[in-house]
Amino acid sequence: MEDLERLREELTSAVAGTADTQALEELRVSALGKKGQITGLMKGLGGMDPDERKAMGQALNALKAEVADAIEARKAALEDVELDAGLETDRIDVTLPVRPEMQGRIHPISQTIDEIVAVLGEMGFNIAEGPDIEDDWHNFTALNIPPDHPARQEHDTFYLPGEQDGERMVLRTHTSPVQIRSMQNGDPPFRLIVPGRTYRCDYDATHSPMFHQVEGLAVDKTTHMGNLKGCLIEFCRAFFDVDDLPVRFRASYFPFTEPSAEVDIGCTREGGAFRIGHGDDWLEILGCGMVNPKVLENCGVDPTEYQGFAFGMGVERLAMLKYGIPDLRTFYETDLRWLKHYGFRALDVPSMVGGLNR
Ligand code: DAH
C-alpha cells in the first residue's frame, strides 16, 4: 500500500509536469496502457490471497481512476495552450493574390446543374429539394403510378428493407416526388425546379445507378400548354446557346401528365461529326406535359381551379450532349486527368448575363 501511495504521488506530479499533449500521451501509455505500471500491478492481483486481493484491487481501481482524471484535466489544459499558441503563430494572409496554377475544377455535372438553374431561375423558378430516400407513395402512387402500373417496371427501383408508416421505402427513381412534397407543403401558385440525385438499377455507357435530374413544375390558374412550350423552347435555346435551335414536341406518355410530350432538338451527324442545331436529325432531351388533374388532387390542389405543366430532364445526358462527353460512366470514375479535361474553372459561375459556359 505504501508503494501505491508513492506511485500515486509520482504519477500525479509527472502528469502536472508534462509540457505538451504528446508527452502526456506517452505518460498515459506508460501508466494505464496495456504494458503500463498500473496495468502491471493489476495483473499481479491473481496471485494474492482473497482478502489482500480485495483491498489491493480497490486501491488500484481508485488509483487508476484518479490518474485517468488527472490526465484528462491536464490534456484539456494543454490543448487550450496549444490552440492559443497555434492561433498566435499561424497566420493566413488573405490579401495574397489567387495562385495562377489552379488545380481544382468544377465537375461537369455541377456546372450543368448551375447552367440549368441559371436559365430557369431567370424565368422565375425557385429551387426546391426533397429526400433521396422516398416512400412508395411519393415516388409512385401520388404521381398516378399505382402499385401494379407497368411504368413501375421501367424504373428499375432500388427498394430498401423494411417499411416506414406502412410505406415501402425506395431510393427515389426520379425527382418528380418533390413536386408532390412541394404542393402538399405550400399554396399555389407554384414555380419550382428540383435539381437532385436519382437512382435506378442500371449500368452501361448511358446509364449509371446514381444519376441526376432536374424536375420543373409550374402551377397557376391560367397555366396552359402554350406556356409549357414557350418555356421549354426558350430553355433549350439558352442552354445550348443556339438562338434558332429547332425544338419539337412529340406526343408521349407519362402517368403524371396529360397530355404528355417528349422534346427533341435539331442536330446533324454530317460526315460523322455530331452537332446540335439545324440539321436533318432530331435528338430527344426531356419529358414534359400538363400536370394530370389526379396528381393535383393527390396533393390537395383543386384541379377545377388550378392547372400546371411539369418537365423532367437528365443532367448527365444534357452534359454529355453539350460538352461532347461520350461515356456516362466516366463522370464517376474520379479520374483527375478527365476532370482537368472536362472540368470548369471554379470562379466562372454560370449566369444569364455573364454567360453560361465561359
Ligand atoms: N419523371 C420522369 C422520368 O424520370 C421525367 C419526367 C417526364 C418528369 C415528364 C416530368 C414530366 O415532370 O412531366 O423519366
Side-chain angles (χ1 to χ4, degrees):
M1 288 290 173
E2 261 172 45
D3 288 350
L4 275 197
E5 184 50 32
R6 205 173 318 120
L7 182 59
R8 192 184 74 80
E9 272 166 25
E10 222 176 271
L11 285 175
T12 41
S13 73
V15 168
T18 46
D20 54 41
T21 47
Q22 196 184 335
L24 184 67
E25 176 59 13
E26 281 162 17
L27 183 65
R28 188 191 65 77
V29 171
S30 77
L32 304 173
K34 259 192 200 148
K35 292 185 181 143
Q37 282 168 290
I38 297 182
T39 321
L41 290 171
M42 284 184 144
K43 281 182 190 151
L45 288 173
M48 296 177 184
D49 64 57
D51 285 345
E52 197 187 358
R53 186 190 307 147
K54 191 173 170 205
M56 192 64 174
Q58 279 172 355
L60 276 175
N61 273 331
L63 174 63
K64 187 177 163 186
E66 189 181 339
V67 172
D69 285 350
I71 289 176
E72 268 316 298
R74 181 74 186 149
K75 189 173 173 202
L78 286 173
E79 279 173 351
D80 272 354
V81 172
E82 284 168 16
L83 179 65
D84 284 348
L87 289 173
E88 203 46 48
T89 52
D90 295 348
R91 291 201 191 276
I92 297 171
D93 185 350
V94 292
T95 64
L96 281 175
V98 175
R99 285 203 194 125
E101 166 71 281
M102 284 209 303
Q103 290 283 335
R105 287 286 188 280
I106 300 292
H107 195 281
I109 292 297
S110 304
Q111 171 81 14
T112 304
I113 290 176
D114 287 351
E115 293 175 4
I116 295 170
V117 168
V119 178
L120 294 169
E122 182 81 0
M123 293 185 196
F125 288 89
N126 293 310
I127 292 185
E129 285 179 320
D132 288 21
I133 296 177
E134 261 301 359
D135 57 52
D136 196 281
W137 191 82
H138 285 92
N139 195 78
F140 292 121
T141 313
L143 287 159
N144 197 34
I145 318 177
D148 42 351
H149 197 285
R152 288 206 180 200
Q153 265 127 50
E154 284 159 33
H155 280 223
D156 302 308
T157 312
F158 287 113
Y159 288 96
L160 277 90
E163 290 189 348
Q164 216 164 288
D165 301 326
E167 286 289 331
R168 233 173 3 167
M169 303 304 284
V170 303
L171 289 181
R172 67 178 177 193
T173 57
H174 48 182
T175 41
S176 308
V178 185
Q179 279 189 31
I180 305 294
R181 289 183 177 276
S182 304
M183 287 197 279
Q184 280 184 315
N185 295 329
D187 294 312
F190 299 103
R191 249 176 212 221
L192 48 99
I193 43 173
V194 186
R197 289 186 177 179
T198 45
Y199 307 83
R200 290 184 200 180
C201 187
D202 210 349
Y203 184 66
D204 60 31
T206 53
H207 297 90
S208 147
M210 190 280 296
F211 59 106
H212 298 76
Q213 288 188 340
V214 176
E215 182 81 13
L217 176 74
V219 174
D220 209 336
K221 289 186 173 158
T222 59
T223 308
H224 54 73
M225 189 90 186
N227 300 138
L228 159 71
K229 292 182 76 173
C231 167
L232 291 178
I233 291 170
E234 217 26 68
F235 167 77
C236 293
R237 291 182 175 164
F239 176 79
F240 287 105
D241 198 18
V242 180
D243 288 343
D244 58 350
L245 179 66
V247 179
R248 85 175 173 189
F249 291 75
R250 191 167 30 78
S252 182
Y253 171 77
F254 299 103
F256 30 87
T257 43
E258 182 59 39
S260 304
E262 275 168 307
V263 175
D264 298 338
I265 56 171
C267 64
T268 56
R269 292 189 171 86
E270 249 167 55
F274 174 77
R275 199 171 47 76
I276 287 170
H278 272 284
D280 51 4
D281 212 347
W282 295 97
L283 195 76
E284 183 224 311
I285 61 154
L286 56 88
C288 62
M290 298 305 292
V291 180
N292 191 316
K294 286 188 202 157
V295 173
L296 295 175
E297 211 168 277
N298 288 339
C299 304
V301 175
D302 183 354
T304 62
E305 203 181 339
Y306 287 96
Q307 49 193 21
F309 68 81
F311 55 88
M313 54 187 100
V315 175
E316 280 78 358
R317 184 170 167 77
L318 290 179
M320 287 165 83
L321 289 171
K322 185 164 175 177
Y323 296 115
I325 302 171
D327 189 326
L328 188 148
R329 289 169 292 204
T330 55
F331 282 116
Y332 305 112
E333 280 170 357
T334 61
D335 181 339
L336 269 182
R337 290 162 306 174
W338 182 91
L339 192 58
K340 250 199 153 144
H341 181 77
Y342 286 111
F344 294 82
R345 300 259 309 274
L347 298 178
D348 292 342
V349 181
S351 77
M352 288 307 286
V353 278
L356 289 183
N357 49 356
R358 279 173 291 173

